[in-house]
């Protein structure tokens, strides 16, 4: 089944768009950028007609989302809500899990901790957690830096299930020599907690959640710390990142760190940053595969788009050139539960009929 899925995905995704490859950039003209107020359910909206979009195709998009097991969908333009819709009993204040889209929350907190001088991502993980946090030989464990966890290049076994207990973190190849999508990134939460001398949840709440008005909580799911929130909280986070890590007049995480996070982070998977997926590159790797595929990650999406992608099609799409943040939460659109699926390309085909 896995091989069949990969072959199908190759067919869909290997057809590159005709637009020019560009290095992902964060752009924002702050003059008219809107931020929803903290501790309030109010959020300004913008009419589709004011954007010269094709409003006639909105219902087709909503029908498609409904058919594809979607629970919620939001489109922000310069921070204001243009489209917001809930499906199948989901509501504005209903929480849902981010799955691996929440990896980018860990990225952001890692950046904040580095900005504060608590950690350095180039340091080895053992500096913060001590030795023996993996089952790798000590000499090999010492090669693994925090940056390796951010870039999925730890060299540890990615085939031993969800757990990140030491017995599941076994040596495959030296750090930096192999890209493999892996839950070992969650060890960064332990690094930040240890370096800040507080719990991960407390550090997250005070440094990010409360500062941008997010709701939600971290919940243990399948031995992993997974974030649950309403859809607007996911949109708040996407808005923060789209504006260089700045919320109104407050720099939450440095612009330089965000720039590093949303550009190619290593020389193996061109389409991967610091736990962010990058569109518009010449090649990409998929989870649980060591193949390199030619072409863009999501051919129908804009070249400069970067994305947080989670199991069962949890999505944060950020498109700097169009000033857009797009959120999708729900069940798996199709049979695949990979972080990336053919649904991404199908969804962008529908979105393009509106925004282009």
């Amino acid at each position: 089944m896995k091989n069949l899925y990969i072959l199908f995905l190759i067919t869909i995704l290997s057809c590159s768009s005709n637009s020019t490859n560009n290095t992902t950039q964060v752009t924002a003209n702050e003059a008219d950028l809107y931020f929803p107020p903290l501790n309030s359910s109010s959020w300004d909206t913008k009419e589709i007609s004011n954007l010269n979009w094709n409003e006639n195709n909105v219902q087709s998009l909503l029908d498609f989302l409904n058919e594809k097991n979607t629970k919620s969908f939001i489109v922000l333009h310069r921070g204001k809500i243009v489209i917001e819709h809930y499906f199948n009993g989901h509501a504005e204040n209903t929480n849902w899990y981010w799955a691996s889209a929440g990896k980018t929350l860990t990225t952001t907190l890692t950046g904040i901790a580095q900005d504060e001088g608590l950690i350095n991502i180039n340091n080895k993980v053992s500096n913060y957690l001590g030795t023996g946090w993996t089952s790798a030989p000590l000499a090999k464990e010492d090669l693994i830096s925090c940056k390796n966890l951010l870039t999925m290049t730890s060299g540890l076994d990615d085939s031993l299930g969800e757990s990140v207990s030491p017995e599941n973190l076994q040596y495959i190849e030296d750090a930096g020599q192999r890209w493999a999508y892996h839950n070992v990134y969650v060890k960064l939460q332990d690094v930040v907690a240890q370096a800040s001398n507080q719990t991960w949840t407390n550090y997250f709440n005070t440094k990010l959640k409360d500062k941008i008005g997010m709701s939600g909580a971290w919940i243990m799911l399948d031995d992993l710390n997974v974030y649950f929130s309403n859809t607007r909280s996911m949109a708040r986070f996407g808005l923060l990142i789209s504006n260089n890590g700045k919320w109104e007049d407050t720099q939450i995480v440095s612009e330089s760190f965000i720039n590093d996070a949303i550009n190619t982070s290593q020389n193996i998977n061109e389409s991967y940053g610091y736990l962010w997926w990058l569109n518009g590159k010449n090649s990409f790797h998929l989870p649980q595969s060591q193949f390199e595929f030619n072409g863009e990650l999501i051919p129908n999406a804009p070249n400069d788009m970067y994305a947080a992608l989670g199991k069962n099609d949890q999505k944060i799409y950020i498109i700097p050139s169009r000033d857009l943040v797009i959120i999708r939460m729900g069940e798996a659109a199709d049979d695949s539960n990979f972080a990336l699926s053919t649904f991404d390309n199908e969804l962008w085909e529908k979105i393009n009929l509106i925004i282009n």
Side-chain angles (χ1 to χ4, degrees), residues 200-211 218 227:
W200 166 259
T201 296
N202 186 64
Y203 192 78
F204 173 82
N205 289 348
T206 57
K207 299 298 181 178
L208 179 60
K209 176 184 174 182
D210 296 343
K211 288 190 174 183
W218 292 93
Y227 201 67

Side-chain angles (χ1 to χ4, degrees), residues 34-44 212-213 236 247-248:
Y34 170 81
F35 294 90
L38 304 182
N39 305 314
S40 172
S41 61
S42 65
W43 197 313
D44 284 3
I212 67 173
R236 283 175 180 267
W247 189 268
E248 294 186 310

Side-chain angles (χ1 to χ4, degrees), residues 202-252:
N202 186 64
Y203 192 78
F204 173 82
N205 289 348
T206 57
K207 299 298 181 178
L208 179 60
K209 176 184 174 182
D210 296 343
K211 288 190 174 183
I212 67 173
M214 291 174 65
S215 68
W218 292 93
I219 297 174
M220 291 303 297
L221 186 67
D222 295 330
D223 294 325
L224 288 176
N225 206 19
V226 178
Y227 201 67
F228 283 70
S229 80
N230 62 33
T231 313
R232 285 190 172 192
S233 289
M234 189 180 256
R236 283 175 180 267
F237 175 68
L239 178 58
L240 168 73
I241 302 303
S242 74
N243 191 42
N244 309 328
K246 188 176 183 180
W247 189 268
E248 294 186 310
D249 296 325
T250 303
Q251 196 74 44
I252 305 297

Side-chain angles (χ1 to χ4, degrees), residues 38-106:
L38 304 182
N39 305 314
S40 172
S41 61
S42 65
W43 197 313
D44 284 3
T45 61
K46 183 179 293 186
E47 295 296 326
I48 289 179
S49 57
N50 293 337
L51 295 169
N52 294 318
W53 290 358
N54 191 337
E55 193 167 2
N56 293 332
N57 289 328
V58 171
Q59 190 57 53
S60 175
L61 168 65
L62 297 179
D63 290 344
F64 171 78
L65 289 166
N66 187 51
E67 292 167 4
K68 294 295 186 177
N69 306 316
T70 302
K71 291 185 177 293
S72 56
F73 185 76
I74 291 178
V75 176
L76 304 182
H77 181 263
R78 304 205 53 73
K80 293 184 179 181
I81 293 174
V82 183
I83 299 173
E84 180 177 30
H85 204 85
Y86 298 92
F87 308 83
N88 303 310
H90 207 75
E92 179 183 317
N93 292 321
T94 305
N95 286 349
W96 191 247
Y97 67 108
W98 291 36
S100 286
K103 285 180 169 67
T104 56
L105 293 172
T106 298

Side-chain angles (χ1 to χ4, degrees), residues 119-176:
I119 68 171
N120 184 323
I121 64 171
N122 294 309
N123 288 345
K124 60 185 180 181
V125 177
S126 297
N127 283 4
Y128 307 100
L129 302 186
T131 58
W133 64 276
T134 74
S135 290
L138 181 59
K140 300 302 184 182
E141 183 180 274
D142 274 348
L143 298 175
I144 304 172
S145 69
C146 295
K147 187 173 181 179
N148 290 132
L149 302 192
L150 282 172
T151 60
M152 296 293 181
T153 57
S154 68
L156 298 172
D157 193 348
D158 57 312
S159 65
L160 294 175
E162 299 280 342
S163 174
V164 290
S165 57
E167 59 269 21
N168 273 16
L169 301 179
Q170 297 181 10
Y171 173 80
I172 295 291
E173 198 166 348
D174 284 1

